[in-house]
Amino acid sequence: MNASSNRDELDVLAELSLDPPPGFADRLFASWVQVPAPAGDLFVAFTGAGISYVRIADVVSDDADVFAESFRDRFGRPIRPASKPPAGLSTALKTGRASGLTFDLGGLSEFEQSVLRAATRIPRGETRPYAWIASEIGRPRAVRAVGSALGRNPVPVLIPCHRVTRSDGDAGEYVFGRQIKERILGVENVDLGRVRSLAAGGVHFLGSDTTNVVCYPTCHHARRITEPHRHGFRTIAQATAAGYRPCKDCRPAVTPGG
DNA sequence: GGGCGGGCGGGAG
DNA sequence: ACTCCCGCCCGCC
């Protein structure tokens, strides 16, 4: 290596560092914001493609540096504070609905993405069993795999995997621990204890004999059924045999075993 | 009501 | 490629 070729290489490097293409920094760096949410402050990371990573500040760490470092560990990419939150975030937090948000879920498998998409369809104040997700995505026996996929949800709270519970009314596992899951569901006004006591009595679905529609117990329609018209069912098969049809909103699933 | 086997995607060898 | 193992499960003994 002689002096002149060394000179050329330096020129090339200098050009790279002095003249970055427009938007280069924005493509290199992801962005983060801290926003208040009903269940506590959220750190939200996003790229040009959408929201890619969420942690609950109080639960993991209030320290933004810790969040930024965990993002870099996971995605191998730098991140810096954003001047404004991604479009639709404040609305999504107010309504508890993820529609209107764009997520960057690159790196997840098709199966995982379809599981997360199904989870976004669970309204605030309601829950669905893991088996419901499995049924929604056309893989009715992949119930446990659904749990595994939800366990890898990079954007918890915004994609509400906390609204997926065990069919016996137990909250089930959660990235941040089951206590946090129960706390968030409490904030969202879900009465899990009621689901649990119904399930303990063998009731997984509620129907109204005025509409002949059968729902999950937390469905907003089920909650409006007055006591004299309320009928419990162990399985959807039993409900349909009794002349009920599945609710079009909560779409109770015919479970493989029942 | 706890324990057990069925079920299935993903990651590690 | 194939096997083994693990996981936010489910329903039946």
Side-chain angles (χ1 to χ4, degrees), chain A residues 1 25 39 62 90 119 136 140 143 158 163 179 184 187-188 191 194 221 226 230 238 245 257:
Chain A
M1 174 166 315
D62 289 344
S90 68
E136 282 283 300
V143 179
L158 296 185
R163 295 175 192 157
Q179 287 83 6
I184 300 174
V187 168
E188 298 188 343
D191 188 354
R194 179 158 175 277
H221 293 122
T226 55
R230 186 182 304 133
Q238 288 168 3
R245 68 147 176 92

Side-chain angles (χ1 to χ4, degrees), chain A residues 58-112:
Chain A
D58 313 335
V59 170
V60 183
S61 166
D62 289 344
D63 189 343
D65 291 338
V66 172
F67 173 72
E69 190 184 342
S70 70
F71 180 90
R72 286 191 299 267
D73 284 351
R74 181 160 174 158
F75 297 96
R77 182 174 176 181
I79 186 168
R80 60 185 186 182
S83 50
K84 63 183 172 73
L89 182 57
S90 68
T91 305
L93 290 169
K94 266 180 246 158
T95 61
R97 304 184 76 243
S99 54
L101 288 180
T102 306
F103 295 101
D104 179 1
L105 300 175
L108 297 188
S109 70
E110 271 308 310
F111 178 83
E112 290 167 330

Side-chain angles (χ1 to χ4, degrees), chain A residues 22-65:
Chain A
F24 175 75
D26 286 337
R27 283 200 299 277
L28 175 63
F29 284 89
S31 308
W32 66 265
V33 290
Q34 181 168 358
V35 291
D41 274 18
L42 258 34
F43 287 120
V44 178
F46 54 102
T47 67
I51 296 170
S52 52
Y53 191 55
V54 170
R55 301 283 100 166
I56 303 177
D58 313 335
V59 170
V60 183
S61 166
D62 289 344
D63 189 343
D65 291 338

Side-chain angles (χ1 to χ4, degrees), chain A residues 116-127:
Chain A
L116 295 182
R117 271 197 304 274
T120 64
R121 298 198 289 269
I122 309 172
R124 180 163 66 193
E126 305 187 22
T127 59

Side-chain angles (χ1 to χ4, degrees), chain A residues 39 48 60 72 80 97 129 136 155 159 174 189 192 218 223:
Chain A
V60 183
R72 286 191 299 267
R80 60 185 186 182
R97 304 184 76 243
E136 282 283 300
V155 288
I159 290 185
Y174 191 52
N189 225 17
L192 254 199
T218 59
R223 284 184 287 167

Side-chain angles (χ1 to χ4, degrees), chain A residues 129 132 198-199 202-207 214-217 222 230-237 239 250-255 258:
Chain A
W132 177 83
L198 285 169
V203 171
H204 293 109
F205 307 98
L206 295 177
V214 62
C215 299
Y216 286 112
R230 186 182 304 133
H231 295 271
F233 297 96
R234 170 181 287 278
T235 67
I236 287 301
C250 68
R251 294 188 295 282
V254 180
T255 52

